[in-house]
Amino acid sequence: MSSRKRDRSGVPLQVCVVAVGDELLNGFVVNTNAAWLGQRMSQIGVQVNAGRIVADDEIAIAASVREALTTSDAVIVTGGLGPTSDDRTRHALALLAEVELVRDVRAESVLRERLEAQGRTASVQHLTQVDLPAGAAAIPNSAGTAPGIRMSIGDHVIYAVPGPPHEMRAVVDAGVVNDLVRRRRSFVLTYSLRTALIPESEVAAMIAPLEVRHTGVRVAYLASPAEVVVRMTATGDDDARVTALVDAASEDAREVLGDAVVGEASQTLAQAVVGLMAAAGRTVAVAESLTGGAIAAAITDVPGSSAMLKGGIVAYATEAKEDVLGVDVDLVALHGPVHPAVARAMAEAVRARFMCDYGIGTTGVAGPTEQNGKPVGTVHVAVAGPHHVVDVSLHLHGDRDTIRRQTVVQALDLLRRTVLGLPPRKGPSSD
Ligand code: ATP
Ligand code: MG
């Protein structure tokens, strides 16, 4: 392996993540370590080009890492570093490098001290965790007893990190990130923007001229109900040049997409709305019918939302809209519960009831069957503010879940736009 050199100029450092564990293969544990590592690597301009999952078996682990080294510069192995007999990663690395396991005296004393501080003594079993393949180095683990391992094979490098996610993160940040940054000859930079309520095809059409203007920047689109994330990526050897490329492209993208841009994609729409409301010192309450509390849930998912959310009422039945919220009985009798006037009345009622700056109301037919002669996908969303009430009427497509999720995006974005003094925008699957 050491004899094979590749010309990598312009290509970022490639990493393969090998996740070890029977529990990952049989589905008892979800491979969140790979997801976290993917994000962490993209932050440092290193590319995860492959991922594997392998059983707690030393021959299988060694084979998987060996194969990973044929397509990647570095391999990060997660899991199997513990003290029990099913933890085989250190043995697999020794097998791969054709070396013995040797006790690392420095790691041993760190381990002994850590256990003594907890009033425990190091057992024979504990100490197996500091037996490392000869020539490998220990990476400190501030969150647990098993150190990580760094081992070079030719011009490739293998890192082994513990499986428990908080230990994995501690070890990666202590000894993997810096090492990879040092090795990186070329790097990738990504910037992502979140847009709401524009169809993916329309976003792509707006961005298309930019792709021509900014050669060297790759654009990717990630769509979810009613939202599109635009990701711009550049690669190169010169940090400053790559940064300038991505900056210029993202500035242009913000300009052409205009007020459909919610913010950076690392923030959810709910986070952006909470941030906006909290900064402006504004409060909101929600009255939900077809969304059944999903808007309140999206808002309360965000830490700090208590600064802007006063509360919510799920008024699902028609009587609840009248009796609990105080929507006019005659209004409902006249129009039926699925009507823009009812969404507006719900928004106004909840705003008054919770004595806040804004109220949101949603009513509609999520399906699977029509209701009072209104087809599935008929949705009305309203936002009542200090000065006026706005509403949008939608005919959404998709199943119950999709319709409800789109309604949540529509409601949060209607609030965002109203607070910013922008006119309402209708969702993408609406006709
Ligand atoms: P320990 O000392 O706890 O045994 P270890 O390094 O040997 O640590 P494993 O035995 O492979 O790690 O995994 C321990 C636990 O860590 C698993 O039961 C699981 O809960 C979690 N875990 C392992 N791998 C992953 C992964 N890829 N993604 C998310 N969680 C994981
Ligand atoms: Mg284990």
Side-chain angles (χ1 to χ4, degrees):
M1 230 166 287
S2 56
S3 58
R4 193 170 41 77
K5 292 251 184 219
R6 278 180 287 187
D7 175 18
R8 293 199 160 276
S9 76
V11 179
L13 202 72
Q14 311 279 306
V15 171
C16 177
V17 174
V18 176
V20 174
D22 292 350
E23 73 278 15
L24 298 166
L25 286 168
N26 60 30
F28 274 98
V29 172
V30 175
N31 190 1
T32 56
N33 284 352
W36 186 86
L37 282 165
Q39 291 183 16
R40 191 76 185 89
M41 292 303 110
S42 74
Q43 286 164 2
I44 59 166
V46 167
Q47 191 163 52
V48 175
N49 71 336
R52 293 157 172 266
I53 301 181
V54 61
D56 291 312
D57 176 275
E58 95 192 39
I59 294 173
I61 299 168
S64 190
V65 174
R66 185 181 293 120
E67 244 177 86
L69 288 173
T70 63
T71 52
S72 304
D73 304 292
V75 176
I76 303 176
V77 185
T78 83
L81 285 186
T84 55
S85 59
D86 60 345
D87 291 318
R88 308 307 300 167
T89 298
R90 74 189 80 260
H91 302 84
L93 297 189
L95 181 70
L96 176 67
E98 296 175 354
V99 295
E100 297 295 310
L101 284 172
V102 182
R103 184 144 302 175
D104 184 302
V105 277
R106 273 192 35 213
E108 179 183 351
S109 66
V110 171
L111 174 62
R112 285 187 188 279
E113 275 169 32
R114 185 182 180 93
L115 290 170
E116 274 160 25
Q118 297 169 358
R120 300 152 73 194
T121 42
S123 65
V124 172
Q125 195 133 18
H126 278 132
L127 290 170
T128 59
Q129 295 177 106
V130 289
D131 289 341
L132 311 186
I139 305 173
N141 176 359
S142 60
T145 49
I149 300 171
R150 189 183 72 236
M151 186 174 103
S152 294
I153 292 197
D155 56 359
H156 292 61
V157 61
I158 302 162
Y159 308 95
V161 298
H166 68 290
E167 293 188 43
M168 183 271 307
R169 292 192 294 267
V171 172
V172 168
D173 283 333
V176 178
V177 163
N178 288 349
D179 200 62
L180 284 172
V181 166
R182 255 195 313 276
R183 289 165 183 269
R184 152 190 105 173
R185 273 149 287 182
S186 160
F187 82 119
V188 218
L189 187 71
T190 296
Y191 185 82
S192 303
L193 286 176
R194 181 181 302 280
T195 66
L197 306 179
I198 314 190
E200 189 181 12
S201 56
E202 218 172 286
V203 173
M206 290 161 94
I207 294 288
L210 261 71
E211 295 196 53
V212 179
R213 200 169 332 134
H214 298 277
T215 46
V217 176
R218 275 174 293 131
V219 183
Y221 304 91
L222 286 89
S224 55
E227 292 181 83
V228 178
V229 165
V230 181
R231 199 171 62 200
M232 287 151 285
T233 307
T235 304
D237 301 328
D238 178 350
D239 291 25
R241 196 181 119 71
V242 169
T243 308
L245 277 176
V246 172
D247 281 355
S250 47
E251 213 169 285
D252 274 9
R254 272 186 183 268
E255 200 172 313
V256 298
L257 296 168
D259 58 36
V261 173
V262 173
E264 283 189 31
S266 54
Q267 273 211 325
T268 63
L269 173 60
Q271 284 172 333
V273 169
V274 168
L276 176 70
M277 299 279 294
R282 297 303 170 92
T283 54
V284 68
V286 289
E288 303 188 56
S289 186
L290 84 154
T291 44
I295 299 170
I299 294 174
T300 52
D301 268 348
V302 181
S305 55
S306 59
M308 50 70 79
L309 180 72
K310 288 265 187 143
I313 293 174
V314 177
Y316 208 48
T318 301
E319 308 84 79
K321 294 180 179 70
E322 296 164 351
D323 302 344
V324 182
L325 271 175
V327 171
D328 188 359
V329 177
D330 294 337
L331 184 81
V332 180
L334 183 65
H335 299 299
V338 179
H339 192 274
V342 174
R344 294 171 72 95
M346 289 170 74
E348 286 184 287
V350 81
R351 172 177 181 266
R353 229 151 239 261
F354 284 90
M355 292 185 293
C356 47
D357 301 306
Y358 294 91
I360 296 177
T362 65
T363 184
V365 187
T369 52
E370 62 161 47
Q371 194 192 320
N372 307 330
K374 301 281 167 74
V376 173
T378 308
V379 169
H380 305 286
V381 178
V383 168
H387 310 298
H388 64 297
V389 188
V390 288
D391 68 83
V392 287
S393 293
L394 309 158
H395 300 281
L396 301 172
H397 306 296
D399 60 12
R400 189 177 167 82
D401 180 52
T402 309
I403 288 171
R404 282 155 46 100
R405 282 166 61 186
Q406 290 184 80
T407 305
V408 172
V409 174
Q410 181 72 61
L412 289 172
D413 200 58
L414 186 60
L415 176 62
R416 177 185 76 91
R417 297 182 67 89
T418 306
V419 173
L420 291 172
L422 299 168
R425 185 197 287 277
K426 273 193 188 192
S429 86
S430 179
D431 51 31

